[in-house]
Amino acid sequence: MSLAILIVLILGILGGIYMPLEVTSFLDQASSYMLLLLLFSVGIDLGLNRQVFLQIRQMGFRILLIPFGVILGSLCGGGICAVLLQMQIKEGLAIASGLGWYSLSGILITEAGNPIGGTISFLSNVFREVITFISIPFLVKYLNSYSAIAPAGATAMDTTLGIISKNTDGKTAIIAFVSGVICTLLVPVLVPLFL
Amino acid sequence: MVKIFFVLGVGFLIGFYGLLKEEQIKLNCRLQTVWLLLLIFCMGVSIGRNGEVIGNLPTLGGKALLFAVLSVIGSVAFVFVLSKYFLKKGEEE
């Protein structure tokens, strides 16, 4: 899947460079409708997991500490990054607020009139997913299984859930899923907050 | 912004109240991949058609990598410390 995404992205970039301006401007505008269709699909997926909302109550509200840590940690990382790169702190926080959900964060920032920030956010969240895949086995080995949920951010409910569950246990996988759902719901709240 | 929560919310309610049959759920799964790839393609196009972005792509990629690494380190640090103090292993079973 990651490979398919990379290929399609490169095709898109080449298309953007070489296709006629009318076509690219149409596709540029079409992206917001694609986003809405995708979000509708994601919404259905979220709703299908009724039992997860029951799990939250069963496990107690301390389960919320995980997404809380993920979000706070991402924002700190984004803030430090903005300082290091001499960018506006707010922009850095918006970029990091993607929490790995690259298809949403990039487009929100781009549509807010910042295509540079949007591109950084998109790429950084793609990289975040790749880093997640690589780092999880090490995090489980050297820290603890909860830490393996952290890099995944919003993707813990879908693309990276498989690798989390493979490297940890059933209970951690459920916590990861819940954390992913909460992060996913908060990305569209957090990103605009910093724009 | 409102549109985003509207479509997400309508989809959520459809899923939550079980309004879809098994085949429709599977179809939704496949459609999700289609929308995602179409969206990525369109995002590629907006990167490619913007001279300022495409000219700075290597720099932007480097910055993006730094953002990715630091957000991951931050998240891991916070979750590790919080879980160590508040979620002792096996306590919740």
Side-chain angles (χ1 to χ4, degrees):
Chain A
M1 193 60 196
S2 314
L3 188 68
I5 287 170
L6 192 70
I7 293 170
V8 170
L9 177 67
I10 292 171
L11 286 177
I13 294 177
L14 291 174
I17 299 174
Y18 297 110
M19 282 192 299
L21 207 64
E22 304 86 69
V23 181
T24 61
S25 124
F26 169 76
L27 288 174
D28 199 5
Q29 278 155 19
S31 62
S32 33
Y33 295 99
M34 290 298 144
L35 177 67
L36 293 180
L37 286 167
L38 176 65
L39 288 173
F40 179 68
S41 259
V42 171
I44 293 176
D45 253 5
L46 283 174
L48 285 172
N49 298 285
R50 288 182 87 126
Q51 69 279 19
V52 170
F53 296 93
L54 300 173
Q55 289 276 2
I56 299 182
R57 282 169 61 186
Q58 265 177 21
M59 290 183 138
F61 283 92
R62 274 181 310 166
I63 196 175
L64 298 177
L65 279 172
I66 306 281
F68 176 74
V70 171
I71 292 169
L72 217 58
S74 298
L75 292 179
C76 283
I80 294 170
C81 221
V83 173
L84 290 176
L85 296 171
Q86 295 174 322
M87 294 164 67
Q88 281 195 317
I89 304 275
K90 267 175 77 175
E91 193 183 3
L93 295 178
I95 290 170
S97 297
L99 305 175
W101 188 358
Y102 49 81
S103 53
L104 184 64
S105 57
I107 205 165
L108 286 179
I109 299 173
T110 301
E111 279 187 353
N114 183 357
I116 299 271
T119 305
I120 297 178
S121 181
F122 172 72
L123 293 174
S124 80
N125 286 298
V126 173
F127 292 150
R128 180 165 185 164
E129 193 177 285
V130 177
I131 295 172
T132 303
F133 278 114
I134 301 169
S135 65
I136 282 176
F138 298 98
L139 295 173
V140 176
K141 196 171 165 199
Y142 295 107
L143 299 176
N144 60 19
S145 54
Y146 296 117
S147 314
I149 304 171
T155 66
M157 62 169 278
D158 42 51
T159 49
T160 58
L161 184 59
I163 187 149
I164 295 173
S165 96
K166 216 181 96 187
N167 285 279
T168 60
D169 49 76
K171 187 181 150 225
T172 311
I174 292 168
I175 297 176
F177 185 85
V178 173
S179 170
V181 170
I182 292 167
C183 288
T184 299
L185 290 172
L186 288 178
V187 173
V189 181
L190 284 170
V191 177
L193 203 66
F194 300 117
L195 289 175
Chain B
M1 208 44 233
V2 181
K3 280 189 259 172
I4 286 177
F5 278 102
F6 181 74
V7 288
L8 208 54
V10 171
F12 183 87
L13 292 175
I14 291 174
F16 195 81
Y17 289 106
L19 300 179
L20 296 182
K21 296 193 195 82
E22 199 64 41
E23 310 95 74
Q24 290 167 316
I25 292 173
K26 275 187 195 146
L27 178 69
N28 180 53
C29 247
R30 263 182 247 134
L31 281 177
Q32 203 172 313
T33 313
V34 173
W35 305 143
L36 178 67
L37 292 177
L38 280 173
L39 178 62
I40 302 280
F41 182 78
C42 290
M43 291 171 78
V45 169
S46 32
I47 292 174
R49 72 193 291 266
N50 187 319
E52 198 192 351
V53 171
I54 196 78
N56 291 309
L57 207 54
T59 325
L60 297 184
K63 288 182 180 176
L65 189 62
L66 189 62
F67 267 102
V69 170
L70 290 188
S71 345
V72 166
I73 293 176
S75 299
V76 170
F78 271 86
V79 170
F80 179 66
V81 171
L82 285 173
S83 66
K84 215 168 153 65
Y85 286 101
F86 297 103
L87 300 167
K88 298 206 174 64
K89 225 176 159 44
E91 193 189 357
E92 286 165 48
E93 255 100 354

